[in-house]
Amino acid sequence: MNGYVAEADFNKLLVQTSAGWDVYSPELQRLSTGDYQSLKFLILPDRKQSAIAYQDKKTGLFGLLSMDGKVLTSAKFETIMPVDQLFLQLWSTSASQPPYVFTTKDQFGYLGHGGQELFATRFLTKKPVVTYRPITFQSFSAYSELMRQRPLELIDFDKPYSWPAGGNSESHFFANLALYLNLPKDAGKQAVLSELVSKGIIKADENRSVMSDEDMFRVAYFMATGKTSQAMTTPQVLEWAQKRGIVPFREGMSHYMTMNLYAEYQHILMTELMRSLKGKKVLKPKVLTTASLSDAQQQMLTTALIVNGKPANQLPVPFPQAEWQKAIQGLVNQYNKQAAQLLAAYEAKL
């Protein structure tokens, strides 16, 4: 299992495995057999007659499943959402109100509880006017945000660092730390920890089975200074990390219920890598292509896309895919032309 999604009012789980997403019972009995690209609960206001949207791997289009994983519609829609998410003023939960809105490349309409099409009309009544926000470091804040959170989405380092979607974050982190230490990427956790101890970067501890915050801060100190922190006490290391701005912000039970420790350590590792390589002309901007945009890259670029005078990420329903492809291509071209300048400006702020 690579991940799962649960909803408090429903006794079903959406489970991700290496093959894809499927619906499972609380007893982990597999109820669907689609190995879908994605699954999402579509929660209606009454939280009773709800369904699940599935995404087909081959086409990327969406269809409906029942809460028991039964296929209600084929995957032929670009968008499916509860009607109250589009028309926020609606509050009625009467049987006369259609529960779902759908879009295709050229139609907008409503679906019933069983997935039947109740109504359809033309999606676009006139050609949309597409413009772009300037792609500059000052105006394109989404770039800086993605660089802070997931720099591997936008830049290449001098080594093949990676952070694949899904999978085990601990193994991803130790693979990247192994590369930093000039070990094989698949060296494994124990080999990496042994190397850190042998170099004096972290203290020897026979009972260590995982990295601790202190261990990570000592690694960061070595990356920043080229020296070990053996002479520093634990409070001194923590004080240095706080001044460095790399102590993760953790507050509230909800954070600890969902926290990903090694994703936090990966963030520290990448931050210190960028700082250590600043000005050395090692970091290179990735060339983005429309065909291979990740979700994070799409979200970043979409903040600069304006449709009929309104930000594309604030449209009540997503832009038709064919129109979006045309619009995003021009934006990708603009971004690639500016990527080196954006990176240089970001490095200057490190």
Short mmCIF file of all heavy atoms in Angstrom, two decimals, residues 9-11 41-52 66-68 93 99-100 113:
data_model
loop_
_atom_site.label_atom_id
_atom_site.label_comp_id
_atom_site.label_asym_id
_atom_site.label_seq_id
_atom_site.Cartn_x
_atom_site.Cartn_y
_atom_site.Cartn_z
N ASP A 9 -17.68 9.72 7.31
CA ASP A 9 -19.07 9.27 7.21
C ASP A 9 -19.25 8.04 6.33
O ASP A 9 -20.38 7.57 6.16
CB ASP A 9 -19.95 10.40 6.67
CG ASP A 9 -20.09 11.55 7.67
OD1 ASP A 9 -19.69 11.36 8.83
OD2 ASP A 9 -20.57 12.61 7.28
N PHE A 10 -18.17 7.53 5.75
CA PHE A 10 -18.30 6.41 4.82
C PHE A 10 -17.34 5.29 5.22
O PHE A 10 -16.18 5.54 5.53
CB PHE A 10 -18.01 6.87 3.39
CG PHE A 10 -18.90 7.98 2.93
CD1 PHE A 10 -18.43 9.29 2.90
CD2 PHE A 10 -20.21 7.74 2.58
CE1 PHE A 10 -19.24 10.33 2.50
CE2 PHE A 10 -21.04 8.77 2.18
CZ PHE A 10 -20.56 10.08 2.14
N ASN A 11 -17.86 4.08 5.20
CA ASN A 11 -17.03 2.94 5.62
C ASN A 11 -16.33 2.30 4.43
O ASN A 11 -16.33 1.09 4.26
CB ASN A 11 -17.89 1.90 6.35
CG ASN A 11 -18.96 1.29 5.45
OD1 ASN A 11 -19.29 1.87 4.41
ND2 ASN A 11 -19.49 0.14 5.83
N PHE A 41 -13.64 10.93 -3.47
CA PHE A 41 -15.01 10.94 -2.96
C PHE A 41 -15.72 12.20 -3.45
O PHE A 41 -15.17 13.31 -3.36
CB PHE A 41 -15.02 10.94 -1.43
CG PHE A 41 -14.66 9.61 -0.80
CD1 PHE A 41 -13.51 9.49 -0.05
CD2 PHE A 41 -15.48 8.51 -0.95
CE1 PHE A 41 -13.18 8.28 0.55
CE2 PHE A 41 -15.15 7.29 -0.37
CZ PHE A 41 -14.01 7.17 0.38
N LEU A 42 -16.93 12.05 -3.96
CA LEU A 42 -17.77 13.19 -4.33
C LEU A 42 -18.88 13.29 -3.29
O LEU A 42 -19.89 12.60 -3.36
CB LEU A 42 -18.37 12.99 -5.73
CG LEU A 42 -17.37 12.85 -6.88
CD1 LEU A 42 -18.11 12.67 -8.20
CD2 LEU A 42 -16.45 14.06 -6.95
N ILE A 43 -18.65 14.13 -2.30
CA ILE A 43 -19.54 14.19 -1.14
C ILE A 43 -20.67 15.17 -1.38
O ILE A 43 -20.44 16.35 -1.65
CB ILE A 43 -18.75 14.60 0.13
CG1 ILE A 43 -17.52 13.71 0.29
CG2 ILE A 43 -19.65 14.51 1.35
CD1 ILE A 43 -17.80 12.24 0.41
N LEU A 44 -21.91 14.69 -1.27
CA LEU A 44 -23.09 15.53 -1.45
C LEU A 44 -23.48 16.18 -0.13
O LEU A 44 -23.06 15.72 0.95
CB LEU A 44 -24.25 14.70 -2.00
CG LEU A 44 -23.99 14.05 -3.37
CD1 LEU A 44 -25.20 13.23 -3.80
CD2 LEU A 44 -23.67 15.11 -4.41
N PRO A 45 -24.28 17.25 -0.17
CA PRO A 45 -24.63 17.96 1.07
C PRO A 45 -25.25 17.08 2.14
O PRO A 45 -24.99 17.27 3.33
CB PRO A 45 -25.62 19.02 0.58
CG PRO A 45 -25.23 19.28 -0.84
CD PRO A 45 -24.80 17.96 -1.37
N ASP A 46 -26.09 16.10 1.74
CA ASP A 46 -26.72 15.24 2.75
C ASP A 46 -25.79 14.14 3.24
O ASP A 46 -26.12 13.42 4.18
CB ASP A 46 -28.01 14.64 2.22
CG ASP A 46 -27.78 13.74 1.00
OD1 ASP A 46 -26.61 13.49 0.65
OD2 ASP A 46 -28.77 13.30 0.40
N ARG A 47 -24.59 14.02 2.61
CA ARG A 47 -23.57 13.03 2.98
C ARG A 47 -24.13 11.61 3.01
O ARG A 47 -23.69 10.76 3.77
CB ARG A 47 -22.93 13.38 4.33
CG ARG A 47 -22.29 14.76 4.35
CD ARG A 47 -21.49 14.99 5.62
NE ARG A 47 -20.28 14.18 5.63
CZ ARG A 47 -19.14 14.51 5.06
NH1 ARG A 47 -19.05 15.64 4.36
NH2 ARG A 47 -18.08 13.71 5.14
N LYS A 48 -25.14 11.36 2.17
CA LYS A 48 -25.74 10.03 2.11
C LYS A 48 -25.52 9.40 0.74
O LYS A 48 -24.73 8.48 0.59
CB LYS A 48 -27.22 10.10 2.46
CG LYS A 48 -27.50 10.51 3.91
CD LYS A 48 -29.00 10.60 4.17
CE LYS A 48 -29.27 11.05 5.60
NZ LYS A 48 -30.73 11.18 5.88
N GLN A 49 -26.23 9.91 -0.26
CA GLN A 49 -26.14 9.35 -1.60
C GLN A 49 -24.95 9.96 -2.33
O GLN A 49 -25.11 10.83 -3.17
CB GLN A 49 -27.43 9.60 -2.37
CG GLN A 49 -28.65 8.94 -1.76
CD GLN A 49 -29.85 9.10 -2.67
OE1 GLN A 49 -29.91 8.51 -3.74
NE2 GLN A 49 -30.80 9.89 -2.23
N SER A 50 -23.77 9.52 -1.99
CA SER A 50 -22.56 10.05 -2.60
C SER A 50 -21.94 9.00 -3.52
O SER A 50 -22.40 7.86 -3.58
CB SER A 50 -21.56 10.49 -1.53
OG SER A 50 -22.11 11.54 -0.75
N ALA A 51 -20.93 9.40 -4.25
CA ALA A 51 -20.28 8.51 -5.20
C ALA A 51 -18.78 8.78 -5.22
O ALA A 51 -18.27 9.60 -4.44
CB ALA A 51 -20.89 8.69 -6.60
N ILE A 52 -18.08 8.10 -6.11
CA ILE A 52 -16.63 8.22 -6.24
C ILE A 52 -16.31 8.50 -7.70
O ILE A 52 -16.82 7.83 -8.61
CB ILE A 52 -15.93 6.92 -5.80
CG1 ILE A 52 -16.23 6.63 -4.31
CG2 ILE A 52 -14.42 7.01 -6.03
CD1 ILE A 52 -15.87 5.22 -3.89
N SER A 66 -19.99 3.69 -7.82
CA SER A 66 -20.80 3.72 -6.60
C SER A 66 -19.86 3.61 -5.40
O SER A 66 -18.68 3.32 -5.54
CB SER A 66 -21.78 2.54 -6.60
OG SER A 66 -21.07 1.32 -6.42
N MET A 67 -20.40 3.82 -4.22
CA MET A 67 -19.56 3.72 -3.01
C MET A 67 -19.08 2.30 -2.78
O MET A 67 -18.16 2.07 -1.99
CB MET A 67 -20.35 4.22 -1.80
CG MET A 67 -20.67 5.71 -1.85
SD MET A 67 -19.21 6.77 -1.93
CE MET A 67 -18.61 6.63 -0.25
N ASP A 68 -19.68 1.32 -3.48
CA ASP A 68 -19.23 -0.07 -3.38
C ASP A 68 -18.27 -0.44 -4.51
O ASP A 68 -17.93 -1.61 -4.67
CB ASP A 68 -20.44 -1.02 -3.42
CG ASP A 68 -21.30 -0.89 -2.16
OD1 ASP A 68 -20.72 -0.69 -1.09
OD2 ASP A 68 -22.54 -0.97 -2.29
N THR A 93 -31.31 19.92 -0.68
CA THR A 93 -30.88 18.54 -0.88
C THR A 93 -32.05 17.69 -1.37
O THR A 93 -32.09 16.49 -1.16
CB THR A 93 -30.33 17.95 0.44
OG1 THR A 93 -31.36 18.01 1.45
CG2 THR A 93 -29.12 18.71 0.91
N PRO A 99 -27.50 15.82 -8.64
CA PRO A 99 -26.38 15.80 -7.69
C PRO A 99 -25.02 16.20 -8.27
O PRO A 99 -24.18 16.74 -7.57
CB PRO A 99 -26.36 14.36 -7.20
CG PRO A 99 -26.96 13.58 -8.33
CD PRO A 99 -27.99 14.47 -8.95
N TYR A 100 -24.80 15.93 -9.58
CA TYR A 100 -23.46 16.12 -10.13
C TYR A 100 -23.48 16.95 -11.41
O TYR A 100 -24.41 16.87 -12.21
CB TYR A 100 -22.80 14.78 -10.43
CG TYR A 100 -22.77 13.84 -9.25
CD1 TYR A 100 -23.55 12.69 -9.22
CD2 TYR A 100 -21.97 14.13 -8.14
CE1 TYR A 100 -23.53 11.84 -8.13
CE2 TYR A 100 -21.95 13.29 -7.05
CZ TYR A 100 -22.74 12.15 -7.03
OH TYR A 100 -22.73 11.33 -5.94
N HIS A 113 -27.93 10.30 -9.62
CA HIS A 113 -27.22 9.49 -8.63
C HIS A 113 -26.64 8.20 -9.23
O HIS A 113 -25.59 7.73 -8.80
CB HIS A 113 -28.17 9.14 -7.47
CG HIS A 113 -28.50 10.30 -6.60
ND1 HIS A 113 -27.60 10.86 -5.72
CD2 HIS A 113 -29.65 11.03 -6.47
CE1 HIS A 113 -28.16 11.89 -5.08
NE2 HIS A 113 -29.41 12.01 -5.51
#
